[in-house]
């Protein structure tokens, strides 16, 4: 980045290289004004960083995102804005099930990552439609609430007791609610 003396800001213009994709970043970070304003063209960026960022919810993230993101706000109150299409898969930790996404639009607004009519499939090819959101407070303290309209969708899969008092495989047809917050994870 380059220092812009008159704006007391760092001008950032660059690329994040990822295998065969380059995400483009352009914008400023101003410590003096306590602000950030970056535009990111994801160009199919890999999102495995979610394995660490929301590790209590998902694992085995193997996905790419397409679209534009704005990273804006005070440095202590950063938010994401934009629309992304996600293609790939991720495992929902509490159920141990891998779900595949085919590119429906995920909307990023102030303290919210919205999922409206997102089509998912399990590894058996069964489908569901997800509505809901991951909420956060300036990219901290993540919670989520999702409603899933399922058609014989794999809902739980475990081959051993592990930390649970049960194991097995379960499929659901109908509606299910999944939520997670400081009080734990609930599936209804």
């Amino acid at each position: 980045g380059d220092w812009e003396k008159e704006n007391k800001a760092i001008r950032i213009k660059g690329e994040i290289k990822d295998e065969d994709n380059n995400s483009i970043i352009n914008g400023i970070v101003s410590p003096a004004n306590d602000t950030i304003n970056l535009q990111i063209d994801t160009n199919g960026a890999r999102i495995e960083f979610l394995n660490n960022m929301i590790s209590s919810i998902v694992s085995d993230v193997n996905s790419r995102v397409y679209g534009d993101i704005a990273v804006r706000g005070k440095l202590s109150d950063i938010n994401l804005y934009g629309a992304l299409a996600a293609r790939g898969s991720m495992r929902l930790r509490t159920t141990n099930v891998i779900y595949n996404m085919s590119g429906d639009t995920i909307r990023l607004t102030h303290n919210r990552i919205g999922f409206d009519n997102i089509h998912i499939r399990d590894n058996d090819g069964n489908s569901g439609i997800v509505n809901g959101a991951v909420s956060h407070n300036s990219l901290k303290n993540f919670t989520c609430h999702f409603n899933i309209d399922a058609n014989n969708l794999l809902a739980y899969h475990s081959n051993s007791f592990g930390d649970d008092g049960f194991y097995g495989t379960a499929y659901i047809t109908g509606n299910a609610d999944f939520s997670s917050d400081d009080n734990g994870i609930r599936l209804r």
Side-chain angles (χ1 to χ4, degrees), residues 16 23-26 38-43 67-71 80 84:
I16 299 174
S23 296
I24 309 298
I25 299 175
N26 190 11
L38 299 176
Q39 294 297 127
I40 303 171
D41 182 356
T42 61
N43 288 329
D68 297 324
I69 303 171
V71 181
L80 304 175
L84 298 172

Side-chain angles (χ1 to χ4, degrees), residues 2-171:
D2 295 321
W3 178 251
E4 291 183 353
K5 188 175 180 179
E6 66 280 0
N7 294 327
K8 297 180 182 178
I10 302 166
R11 166 70 56 192
I12 297 173
K13 217 176 214 186
E15 293 180 311
I16 299 174
K17 296 185 181 217
D18 170 22
E19 295 174 7
D20 56 343
N21 296 325
N22 293 339
S23 296
I24 309 298
I25 299 175
N26 190 11
I28 63 166
V29 177
S30 177
N33 296 317
D34 190 36
T35 59
I36 184 169
N37 188 354
L38 299 176
Q39 294 297 127
I40 303 171
D41 182 356
T42 61
N43 288 329
R46 300 192 69 74
I47 57 171
E48 277 77 6
F49 65 87
L50 291 178
N51 282 317
N52 295 324
M53 194 171 185
I54 53 174
S55 61
S56 64
I57 301 170
V58 299
S59 67
D60 302 324
V61 176
N62 184 17
S63 300
R64 293 184 180 273
V65 291
Y66 302 83
D68 297 324
I69 303 171
V71 181
R72 293 193 312 242
K74 293 196 170 291
L75 295 176
S76 60
D77 187 25
I78 298 173
N79 261 279
L80 304 175
Y81 302 89
L84 298 172
R87 292 187 186 107
S89 63
M90 63 181 64
R91 181 184 309 272
L92 188 58
R93 278 197 180 276
T94 56
T95 65
N96 196 40
V97 177
I98 294 175
Y99 294 109
N100 302 286
M101 301 162 291
S102 61
D104 292 328
T105 301
I106 297 167
R107 304 217 181 269
L108 298 100
T109 57
H110 189 79
N111 287 336
R112 186 178 189 274
I113 303 168
F115 297 78
D116 298 314
N117 296 315
I118 304 297
H119 294 78
I120 61 171
R121 292 197 174 277
D122 62 26
N123 283 341
D124 296 329
N126 302 313
S127 64
I129 298 174
V130 176
N131 286 285
V134 174
S135 300
H136 57 87
N137 184 4
S138 303
L139 300 177
K140 296 180 279 265
N141 305 319
F142 287 87
T143 62
C144 70
H145 180 87
F146 294 106
N147 177 270
I148 303 165
D149 185 12
N151 183 13
N152 199 37
L153 187 69
L154 184 59
Y156 182 83
H157 180 71
S158 178
N159 293 324
S160 65
F161 283 109
D163 292 335
D164 297 322
F166 57 92
Y167 70 93
T169 302
Y171 291 84

